[in-house]
Amino acid sequence: MASFKYALRDTFRLICRHWGLSVLTLITAASVLYILGFTALFALNVRHMVSRIEGGLVVQVYMKKGEKTDDVFARVKANPMVTSVRAISPEEALDRLRAKLGNQARAVTLLGDNPLPWSLEIQVRRAEHITPLVRDLMVFPSVEEVIYSGKLVERLSTISRASSAVSAAILVLSVVISALVIFNTIRIAIYSRKEEIEVMLLIGATKTYISLPFVFQGMFLGAGGALLAVAGLWATYASAVNAVRSTLAFLDIIVNRQVLLQFFFLLFATGATMGWVCSWLAVSRFTSRALRPR
């Protein structure tokens, strides 16, 4: 407990004594975390827009004359790729046809008996799930025809896979660059106390005793930088949402407050964790090198 109190006291002393370097580290951490957060938000919005388009795709399944949808409906309902399935009766299909025809709905009376069959409207989670679903549906002997936008589905599947791969690559690259920048900034802070640390090692101080203030310093500066980055992102994103809504209203971007709060909390936790890990690695490397026999 005494060591912990000493570590906290020395941490704040370290930050105040080298306030210029601390401010530089804070600004650097805030900048890289802002870029990381901005990149992640962009990737999330691309993924969100593609998902909304995919969710709007509908597969129409028409049954043969006189066939019901019960067996196909049960099989489709059990499919984990399907988000919703709805059976359309011939009467409901005829009402829809009348509504579409409008003033020309009287022409429907010339058809005599209702010629429309039972049908199903199916929505899936992702565009790439449609092709295997259609393949499964076509084997049912009671199914007459399956209609879906084949070319659009293929293009959406390609866009979805490409956006996921590019987003993942950008995020990994941003995390690596952020970690390297924070690691090197904290290592400079450690080297500024090189002689003091070497003296402490000579008089018998343990690695943990020496490392804790630097680890806490890195964690506090990482968390502080993350808070600044979150504040900047919050303001930037709010302005971006207003600009998009006023000029490109058809774009469906993320505005759910709960989702954004979870994202910003994750960014804050990433900043604190990154600061802790980078400072621990930097100080461990330095103390191990200092303890080697010369």
Side-chain angles (χ1 to χ4, degrees), residues 153-167:
V153 168
E154 290 175 8
R155 287 177 184 173
L156 271 178
S157 298
T158 306
I159 292 172
S160 177
R161 285 194 296 271
S163 68
S164 299
V166 171
S167 302

Side-chain angles (χ1 to χ4, degrees), residues 280-291:
W280 180 79
L281 287 174
V283 75
S284 293
R285 285 189 62 185
F286 180 82
T287 51
S288 299
R289 193 178 300 166
L291 286 171

Side-chain angles (χ1 to χ4, degrees), residues 69-246:
T69 58
D70 298 346
D71 53 342
V72 183
F73 184 91
R75 183 70 67 87
V76 172
K77 187 77 175 174
N79 192 327
M81 298 182 294
V82 173
T83 55
S84 70
V85 55
R86 186 165 181 268
I88 309 296
S89 66
E91 292 75 20
E92 185 178 350
L94 190 62
D95 290 340
R96 288 185 178 187
L97 180 62
R98 286 197 183 103
K100 282 185 180 178
L101 290 175
N103 295 331
Q104 300 175 343
R106 290 181 180 177
V108 176
T109 57
L110 300 176
L111 297 175
D113 293 337
N114 186 354
L116 300 177
W118 278 86
S119 61
L120 292 174
E121 283 183 355
I122 305 170
Q123 288 183 302
V124 297
R125 297 186 188 281
R126 302 184 66 170
E128 62 192 33
H129 297 153
I130 290 182
T131 303
L133 175 67
V134 171
R135 204 178 297 128
D136 293 342
L137 288 169
M138 291 301 291
V139 302
F140 281 92
S142 56
V143 172
E144 176 71 28
E145 190 178 9
V146 180
I147 296 178
Y148 69 105
S149 303
K151 290 291 181 186
L152 178 61
V153 168
E154 290 175 8
R155 287 177 184 173
L156 271 178
S157 298
T158 306
I159 292 172
S160 177
R161 285 194 296 271
S163 68
S164 299
V166 171
S167 302
I170 291 174
L171 282 179
V172 169
L173 191 63
S174 301
V175 168
V176 171
I177 292 173
S178 305
L180 285 175
V181 171
I182 293 175
F183 174 80
N184 282 317
T185 308
I186 291 173
R187 195 170 63 167
I188 292 171
I190 293 170
Y191 271 87
S192 69
R193 293 187 63 194
K194 178 182 176 183
E195 293 180 357
E196 186 180 342
I197 294 172
E198 287 177 345
V199 169
M200 291 175 74
L201 287 171
L202 287 173
I203 62 176
T206 62
K207 284 178 64 176
T208 305
Y209 187 81
I210 295 171
S211 303
L212 271 180
F214 290 101
V215 173
F216 285 155
Q217 182 195 19
M219 191 174 66
F220 289 155
L221 292 177
L227 278 179
L228 290 176
V230 166
L233 276 174
W234 186 276
T236 307
Y237 194 72
S239 303
V241 168
N242 291 332
V244 169
R245 281 182 168 175
S246 60

Side-chain angles (χ1 to χ4, degrees), residues 9-20:
R9 186 190 62 191
D10 204 44
T11 299
F12 290 111
R13 188 182 296 169
L14 200 62
I15 292 173
C16 294
R17 188 185 299 169
H18 304 278
W19 64 270

